[in-house]
Amino acid sequence: MPRIAYVNGAYVPHRHATVHIEDRGYQFADGAYEVVNAFRGRLIDERLHLDRLDRSLGELSIAPPMTRQAMRLIMREVVRRNRMTTGLLYLQVTRGVAPRDHKFPPAIKPALVMTARSIPEFPKEMHDDGVKILTIPDIRWARCDIKSVALLPNILGKQAAAEADAYEAWMVEAGDYITEGSSSNAWIVTADNILVTRPTGNRILAGITRRAIFGMAEELGYTIEERAFTVAEAYAAKEAFMSNSSHFVTPVTQIDDAVIANGKPGNLTLELHERYVRYMEAAIPLQSLEA
Ligand code: PDD
């Protein structure tokens, strides 16, 4: 079945989906995006993703391309046309098309692209064995709270991780503090079962999965400390994991050369993963929803 993309008002076959060469997203990375997880016919935390997109656009002074209601209709249509039940819905808004000039062009229409990609449910081996992390210097700008399409440091980090046979890169700032992963938030569990993750602010993206984990940890009676933690603390952690919309709660069993605890995914991590899957199962299926 051919994949269908939404591009500025039209549903087009994915392989013919193009944007203009002077789209400012292409020339300046002048835009923002979201990745929404579709799980068994449900869009997980759709409202929170759209809220975050609004916020990113607001911080960049990019006008919303349309009303939220219209956006939700298109999201559903993209899911439907791609017959996606489990996968990722990608939304990208750029400032629009204009002759190249750093300043914002007057009266420009924002560009909106959406794609859907079916993926298998959580890869079992990642869950069973956990993943390896490579730490790298955080060379990003000071507004990591904006989900901008400007991802050069992130892709360089992910590539460095892949070349080191690791799955994700955790970025480290001055003082040896971990900020977050190249496409995920970073977590550790201390010897006394306290969950530690970096506070939101300009140094990290406020993850939607991260936020859901807060609620689940509370239900399970665990304490979360929002504070910066060092690489040394992470090496010595009882458990470690990463969170994002594409892979939920993923156990981390090695960071650089340090094997975390006994090298097996931690119990609290697995418990959170299970709870997160139940959280997704409890979301309302798209078929039963009005846009
Ligand atoms: N990335 N931090 C960064 C830098 C991210 O890019 C992401 C998500 C997260 C986790 O956010 P959330 O839980 O809302 O997915 C944290 C997406 C998945 C991506 O770029 O593909």
Side-chain angles (χ1 to χ4, degrees):
M1 201 201 59
R3 283 177 71 197
I4 303 295
Y6 173 87
V7 186
N8 294 323
Y11 295 95
V12 289
H14 190 273
R15 60 201 166 90
H16 299 309
T18 53
V19 292
H20 194 276
I21 54 167
E22 287 198 309
D23 185 296
R24 288 176 62 98
Y26 179 60
Q27 288 188 325
F28 295 121
D30 186 5
Y33 76 105
E34 280 297 325
V35 177
V36 185
N37 169 29
F39 186 76
R40 302 181 192 163
R42 295 146 166 88
L43 286 178
I44 306 305
D45 286 333
E46 177 186 11
R47 184 179 57 78
L48 297 178
H49 282 282
L50 291 176
D51 287 348
R52 188 171 65 186
L53 182 62
D54 281 348
R55 180 182 181 278
S56 296
L57 295 176
E59 293 298 308
L60 299 173
S61 304
I62 296 176
M66 58 184 61
T67 64
R68 178 169 297 208
Q69 189 68 356
M71 189 95 112
R72 295 182 70 208
L73 273 170
I74 296 169
M75 290 166 77
R76 278 153 183 71
E77 194 54 20
V78 171
V79 168
R80 194 185 67 77
R81 288 185 187 231
N82 287 281
R83 294 198 199 140
M84 179 171 73
T85 50
T86 293
L88 300 173
L89 184 61
Y90 178 79
L91 286 69
Q92 176 175 309
V93 180
T94 65
R95 196 176 306 276
V97 176
R100 187 175 185 277
D101 179 0
H102 289 60
K103 297 187 302 296
F104 300 170
I108 188 171
K109 197 169 147 5
L112 171 64
V113 165
M114 282 191 213
T115 58
R117 184 158 57 97
S118 294
I119 52 168
E121 284 190 11
F122 189 78
K124 193 172 160 359
E125 67 285 2
M126 274 170 61
H127 193 219
D128 290 350
D129 305 337
V131 298
K132 179 178 161 187
I133 300 289
L134 176 76
T135 61
I136 56 163
D138 193 338
I139 57 168
R140 298 175 302 162
W141 70 330
R143 291 302 309 274
C144 302
D145 56 311
I146 300 174
K147 200 161 173 58
S148 149
V149 292
L151 289 174
L152 269 178
N154 307 57
I155 63 163
L156 293 175
K158 192 75 101 184
Q159 180 62 22
E163 287 172 11
D165 240 358
Y167 179 74
E168 174 63 304
W170 279 5
M171 295 177 278
V172 180
E173 64 179 14
D176 232 20
Y177 290 106
I178 291 169
T179 50
E180 63 179 336
S182 70
S183 65
S184 57
N185 289 118
W187 298 74
I188 58 169
V189 180
T190 64
D192 39 3
N193 281 338
I194 292 175
L195 285 149
V196 183
T197 196
R198 180 90 184 198
T200 55
N202 293 356
R203 298 298 308 151
I204 68 161
L205 182 76
I208 307 293
T209 322
R210 175 188 183 280
R211 178 175 164 148
I213 292 171
F214 269 68
M216 289 169 219
E218 198 175 310
E219 278 164 32
L220 292 165
Y222 292 111
T223 305
I224 297 185
E225 259 174 38
E226 279 186 280
R227 62 170 174 84
F229 58 93
T230 62
V231 174
E233 260 188 286
Y235 287 166
K238 185 176 175 190
E239 299 184 24
F241 64 91
M242 47 176 265
S243 65
N244 68 13
S245 296
S246 37
H247 290 116
F248 328 141
V249 177
T250 303
V252 167
T253 44
Q254 189 179 335
I255 304 173
D256 301 328
D257 290 328
V259 172
I260 305 306
N262 63 358
K264 299 259 182 304
N267 290 338
L268 205 161
T269 303
L270 294 179
E271 206 177 340
L272 284 172
H273 179 80
E274 293 307 318
R275 182 61 69 112
Y276 192 74
V277 171
R278 287 212 293 284
Y279 173 76
M280 294 192 292
E281 284 169 347
I284 301 166
L286 282 181
Q287 302 92 303
S288 61
L289 273 187
E290 289 302 307

